[in-house]
């Protein structure tokens, strides 16, 4: 419940990208005021305003960090963007630490006139770090698709990919055991990989379905999509596919999904992977 709230599911919009506008804007505004105080040294209100803008910036950054960390925890453990997210987080923490130090320096050196050279340099460095971190944050969403459409799904996504050891050349013709059926609750999914075939497995009611993981539209991860009314909805652009047949129920995708036969034996899920 709290996790859903921090991820912005009730608002149908992720919270972290919404909240980060405040610290970024306040830190930049603080730097603008610093520059203004250097140009107009006789104006006594500029430097205190820069100090308070920075202070509110640190407070709102700490606020934005909480949903950001929850978003990070939700990235699949083997997702290539997870390492990038760690760098994004460390850069943000470094920037907030620098701004905290900056505030301390300003407080101890306050003369109400002009910004000191060290706090000014620290502000410039802080904005530089935030720019790099913001760029990384943008690529995590726009290039890697992390968190896109997640608010539409109620159940948790798969934590990692289940890697099935490659069997002999003839073996993939036989059903392959992939997981315990009990590991999957209604509406949940698994992500399984055998050699270069990645398959999503979904449970709806007491039925299990297996289909290609990557959406035929732009390769969205279907194991992170919404399972509802016999369909899977791609988290990226909302194409819908029939779980049983793979048929397109709603575009933009024009090509259906490849599906795989799933059987349950002794509480174990077996999938017929393609040969080769
Ligand atoms: S990637 Fe699935 S609908 Fe676009």
């Amino acid at each position: 419940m709290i996790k859903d709230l921090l991820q912005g599911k009730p608002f149908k919009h992720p919270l972290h990208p919404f909240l980060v506008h405040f610290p970024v804007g306040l830190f930049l505004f603080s730097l603008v005021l610093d520059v203004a105080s250097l140009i107009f040294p006789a104006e006594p209100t500029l430097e205190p305003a820069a100090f308070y803008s920075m202070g509110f910036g640190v407070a709102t950054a700490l606020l934005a960090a909480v949903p950001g960390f929850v978003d990070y925890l939700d990235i699949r453990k083997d997702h290539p963007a997870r390492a990038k997210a760690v760098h994004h987080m460390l850069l943000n923490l470094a920037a907030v630490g620098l701004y905290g130090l900056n505030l301390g320096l300003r407080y101890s050196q306050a003369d109400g006139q002009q910004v000191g050279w060290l706090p000014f340099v620290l502000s410039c460095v802080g904005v530089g770090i935030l720019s790099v971190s913001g760029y990384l944050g943008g690529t995590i969403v726009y290039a890697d698709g992390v968190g896109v459409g997640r608010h539409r799904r109620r159940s948790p996504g798969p934590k990692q990919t289940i890697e099935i050891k490659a069997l002999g050349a003839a073996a993939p013709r036989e059903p392959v055991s992939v997981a315990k059926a009990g590991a999957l609750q209604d509406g949940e999914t698994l992500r399984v990989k055998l050699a270069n075939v990645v398959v999503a497995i979904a449970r709806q009611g007491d039925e299990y379905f297996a289909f290609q993981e990557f959406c035929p539209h732009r390769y969205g991860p279907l194991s992170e999509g919404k399972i509802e009314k016999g369909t899977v909805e791609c988290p990226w652009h909302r194409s819908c596919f029939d779980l049983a047949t793979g048929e397109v129920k709603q575009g933009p995708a024009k090509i259906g999904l490849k599906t795989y036969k799933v059987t349950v034996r002794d509480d174990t899920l077996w999938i017929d992977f393609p040969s080769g």
Side-chain angles (χ1 to χ4, degrees):
M1 177 65 187
I2 290 178
K3 187 180 169 203
D4 283 358
L5 188 68
L6 290 171
Q7 289 185 330
K9 287 185 180 177
F11 317 112
K12 302 205 182 310
H13 192 289
L15 270 192
H16 179 64
F18 164 70
L19 290 175
V20 291
H21 289 91
F22 294 99
V24 169
L26 287 163
F27 289 144
L28 278 173
F29 186 49
S30 166
L31 184 61
V32 169
L33 290 168
D34 280 350
V35 172
S37 81
L38 293 172
I39 298 171
F40 306 106
E43 177 50 65
T45 56
L46 292 171
E47 204 31 47
F51 176 83
Y52 286 115
S53 179
M54 190 177 291
F56 282 120
V58 169
T60 50
L62 293 174
L63 194 65
V66 178
F69 185 65
V70 173
D71 285 354
Y72 164 75
L73 292 178
D74 217 33
I75 302 176
R76 217 179 56 232
K77 287 194 173 63
D78 54 357
H79 197 296
R82 198 171 164 97
K84 206 186 287 181
V86 171
H87 293 143
H88 172 67
M89 191 161 53
L90 291 177
L91 284 171
N92 284 342
L93 288 174
V96 172
L98 274 188
Y99 279 113
L101 177 68
N102 201 332
L103 280 173
L105 284 174
R106 284 169 194 252
Y107 188 73
S108 61
Q109 296 174 1
D111 57 10
Q113 294 291 312
Q114 221 178 9
V115 61
W117 68 269
L118 183 56
F120 180 68
V121 169
L122 286 179
S123 276
C124 294
V125 173
V127 168
I129 293 176
L130 284 180
S131 303
V132 175
S133 177
Y135 169 78
L136 284 181
T139 60
I140 289 168
V141 176
Y142 293 113
D144 300 312
V146 168
V148 178
R150 181 193 44 212
H151 56 271
R152 290 194 286 268
R153 178 173 163 142
R154 293 285 161 207
S155 57
K159 286 285 173 225
Q160 59 195 25
T161 305
I162 299 171
E163 298 258 1
I164 309 288
K165 280 206 191 92
L167 307 173
R173 295 169 196 274
E174 303 296 325
V176 178
S177 70
V178 293
K180 287 284 175 201
L184 214 49
Q185 302 302 311
D186 189 13
E188 290 186 354
T189 48
L190 294 174
R191 190 176 195 265
V192 179
K193 184 176 181 201
L194 172 69
N196 57 358
V197 181
V198 186
V199 171
I201 303 174
R203 175 175 174 180
Q204 174 141 68
D206 290 331
E207 288 187 282
Y208 297 85
F209 305 91
F211 44 89
Q212 69 184 62
E213 163 70 351
F214 299 109
C215 175
H217 178 233
R218 297 266 171 89
Y219 310 112
L222 293 174
S223 63
E224 294 172 25
K226 186 169 73 173
I227 307 297
E228 200 174 72
K229 296 180 184 156
T231 63
V232 54
E233 182 187 85
C234 177
W236 285 8
H237 312 110
R238 310 186 75 168
S239 286
C240 264
F241 305 92
D242 188 284
L243 283 171
T245 64
E247 178 194 347
V248 179
K249 291 291 188 188
Q250 171 186 295
K254 295 197 171 3
I255 302 169
L257 300 179
K258 182 167 178 49
T259 56
Y260 302 86
K261 187 176 166 204
V262 188
T263 41
V264 185
R265 257 188 280 141
D266 302 329
D267 193 40
T268 300
L269 295 171
W270 298 76
I271 294 188
D272 286 9
F273 276 98
S275 61

